[in-house]
Amino acid sequence: MSEWISLSKAAEILRSSEEFFILTHRYPDGDAIGSSCGLAILLQSMGKKAQIVCADPFSSRFSHSTGGVRPETVSPDAPVVTVDLADVQLAGSECAALAERALLSVDHHGTNRGYAVYTYLERDAAAACELVALLARELAVPLTRDLANCIYTGICTDTGCFKYPSTSARTHRIAAELIEAGADAAAISRLMFDTKTPARVMLEKTVMNSITYGYGGKLALTLLPKAVIEESGAEEADINGLSALARQIEGVELALFLRETGRERYKISARSGDLVDAAAFCAKFGGGGHRRAAGCKLEGDLDTVRQKLIEAAGEVF
Amino acid sequence: MSEWISLSKAAEILRSSEEFFILTHRYPDGDAIGSSCGLAILLQSMGKKAQIVCADPFSSRFSHSTGGVRPETVSPDAPVVTVDLADVQLAGSECAALAERALLSVDHHGTNRGYAVYTYLERDAAAACELVALLARELAVPLTRDLANCIYTGICTDTGCFKYPSTSARTHRIAAELIEAGADAAAISRLMFDTKTPARVMLEKTVMNSITYGYGGKLALTLLPKAVIEESGAEEADINGLSALARQIEGVELALFLRETGRERYKISARSGDLVDAAAFCAKFGGGGHRRAAGCKLEGDLDTVRQKLIEAAGEVF
């Protein structure tokens, strides 16, 4: 069972070793990349060694984050710190061994049940990157431009660019410091939100054309077949955010995005409004996340999977 | 010729009368609505009377702003304060008389050449609403929730939700204060950015289907015919932001959005990246605005208008 610790204890743990593995979840988004790169830069600036591990590569779209990290390897038995990782499974099977021996988990997911020896968890933090900012302050490491870029990336992506209810006064004040530290805020948010590759345009059209509704328009389902992802040449960065599209339509309280990950295998992203708890919905299928954004996995043919989801939504509506 | 004044002098002017007209530009966007409502609430909380005037109605989508204003009328010869109004013409012909006798202009457009007796202009402010926040501080008027909602609306819309380069550390710190004052930040930004009415979905499809490119993809033109606006039942709020769609596509340095406003009459919105000065481009046609977002008007049949724009773009590329 994990020990739930404070910011200062987490900082103590980071001081306690000369080298660390840093592990985050697979299909890494802006917060996973920003927080792992940010923590690596933080540790490296303290004279330590840090090696980032992830089941999937970090897209070149995130060069503002990755560019500041010194690539290096650590001893195979170096302690493991995880960032933005709510559960061992989310690291991917190839990283399970590292995840299972995690010393410290730095996270903001309410569904993190404590798989690491120590868990520094702030449910109300807008992003794991917000916690990296707090750690930098606690460790008296000044914000450089590189570090600020990483933190800004995670915060802006996880808040939908300061839009979601998780955005607090603290979030904005941290952003102000990041800008003063030289973060390329506009360039990063433009890359994250306002740059659509041809692949992305193709995926958006597919997703928007796939929308089906239920329960008087309160439920929306969208689908992204694997074949389309492959045909479009899309990167992970192009896929992030597609789950939010249907949620933007007036009246939709629960938007379910079905991404085909393999034969009869789907990764479901749930995005909800005030009326629905997305984490509770996904928990019915062994998943979890946040109240308004959560995920789960389902197996079976498409019709069966859709049916299960629609029935589960019926319990809510 | 206008007298260019400081924040404290602007505050003095606002103290100097018991009633004011507040005038903003036609086709009002979030900043026009937020700043006029915010200034009205500010003045009313000082015990004064304020009457907002605009050539177009404020959409019900902006009830977070309008809801806090006490509707009232002032004497026909009450002094006029304009907000977010760069030029008399932008107020619309029905409001020209008021605009031409403006006592004070509170603005952030570099193209404001000083039509009012006094001009309080901060080019670097992210929104006219940022100036309303500074005025509230200068006048020692506490931020109430209603006032905070107005200011938040203008700031988030004019920065594309804290995304554009105009977003400064100060912008974020003001946002932090607004959240602490109880602003319904998430609800407002969701309404502004993530709520698409069926009308909006129809307009987006039309605009995206109309895209044509030039100069190796650096130029993009989009078109919104008047007939489509009418058929969709769209409100002004549904149209705002359509101009940014083509600019989101990778490689596009100048996006020109042609909105048909009447027979052979077009309102052009230009959105640009680092390489192009949108205000300078629009100035060729008698328009203006900001370096990355500007506008102008053109008359003529569609082909002629497009040709003129393409040729002018050729001078840039």
Side-chain angles (χ1 to χ4, degrees), chain B residues 249-269:
Chain B
I249 298 170
E250 211 173 49
V252 173
E253 291 296 331
L254 176 62
L256 301 174
F257 172 66
L258 282 60
R259 172 185 175 171
E260 190 188 15
T261 53
R263 199 159 175 284
E264 301 209 334
R265 302 168 82 89
Y266 295 87
K267 179 172 182 279
I268 318 296
S269 296

Side-chain angles (χ1 to χ4, degrees), chain A residues 3-13 104 119-121 135:
Chain A
E3 188 179 326
W4 302 80
I5 63 171
S6 66
L7 173 66
S8 58
K9 175 75 177 176
E12 211 181 288
I13 290 166
L104 168 65
T119 304
Y120 166 47
L121 182 77
L135 285 163

Side-chain angles (χ1 to χ4, degrees), chain B residues 22-283:
Chain B
I22 298 173
L23 173 65
T24 191
H25 62 77
R26 79 170 312 174
Y27 302 128
D29 58 358
D31 197 27
I33 294 172
S35 59
S36 46
C37 291
L39 184 59
I41 291 172
L42 191 53
L43 294 169
Q44 288 174 347
S45 71
M46 291 164 74
K48 300 174 186 294
K49 294 177 75 171
Q51 180 181 346
I52 298 173
V53 180
C54 182
D56 299 296
F58 290 178
S59 159
S60 58
R61 181 175 283 223
F62 293 93
S63 59
H64 285 96
S65 290
T66 56
V69 182
R70 184 181 64 231
E72 58 194 355
T73 54
V74 299
S75 319
D77 58 352
V80 178
V81 183
T82 69
V83 281
D84 204 38
L85 184 67
D87 190 85
V88 166
Q89 286 207 21
L90 295 170
S93 52
E94 49 267 73
C95 297
L98 276 181
E100 276 154 12
R101 69 173 186 81
L103 173 66
L104 168 65
S105 165
V106 175
D107 194 20
H108 71 120
H109 293 91
T111 48
N112 186 325
R113 282 166 305 190
Y115 55 88
V117 176
Y118 298 101
T119 304
Y120 167 48
L121 182 76
E122 267 205 36
R123 280 174 187 73
D124 293 338
C129 273
E130 210 169 279
L131 305 182
V132 174
L134 298 184
L135 284 164
R137 206 182 279 166
E138 185 73 14
L139 291 159
V141 172
L143 287 178
T144 57
R145 173 183 226 154
D146 282 341
L147 180 52
N149 278 344
C150 293
I151 296 171
Y152 186 86
T153 297
I155 288 179
C156 86
T157 48
D158 255 22
T159 56
C161 214
F162 304 93
K163 213 188 312 173
Y164 302 151
S166 51
T167 312
S168 66
R170 179 177 81 180
T171 312
H172 278 288
R173 290 198 171 103
I174 289 173
E177 289 179 36
L178 300 177
I179 286 174
E180 283 170 338
D184 298 299
I188 291 170
S189 50
R190 182 172 162 70
L191 266 170
M192 297 296 107
F193 295 102
D194 276 358
T195 304
K196 294 183 186 179
T197 58
R200 171 68 177 219
V201 176
M202 187 185 300
L203 296 187
E204 279 192 8
K205 280 183 175 172
T206 301
V207 168
M208 289 308 280
N209 284 332
S210 74
I211 299 181
T212 53
Y213 298 95
Y215 305 106
K218 294 210 248 320
L219 172 69
L221 270 83
T222 49
L223 171 68
L224 185 60
K226 197 162 194 266
V228 177
I229 300 177
E230 285 160 359
E231 186 199 332
S232 71
E235 289 185 325
E236 206 52 41
D238 294 311
I239 299 170
N240 260 321
L242 289 173
S243 52
L245 288 183
R247 170 74 181 107
Q248 293 180 349
I249 298 170
E250 211 173 49
V252 173
E253 291 296 331
L254 176 62
L256 301 174
F257 172 66
L258 282 60
R259 172 185 175 171
E260 190 188 15
T261 53
R263 199 159 175 284
E264 301 209 334
R265 302 168 82 89
Y266 295 87
K267 179 172 182 279
I268 318 296
S269 296
R271 300 282 180 268
S272 66
D274 291 329
L275 303 186
V276 181
D277 183 334
F281 178 86
C282 289

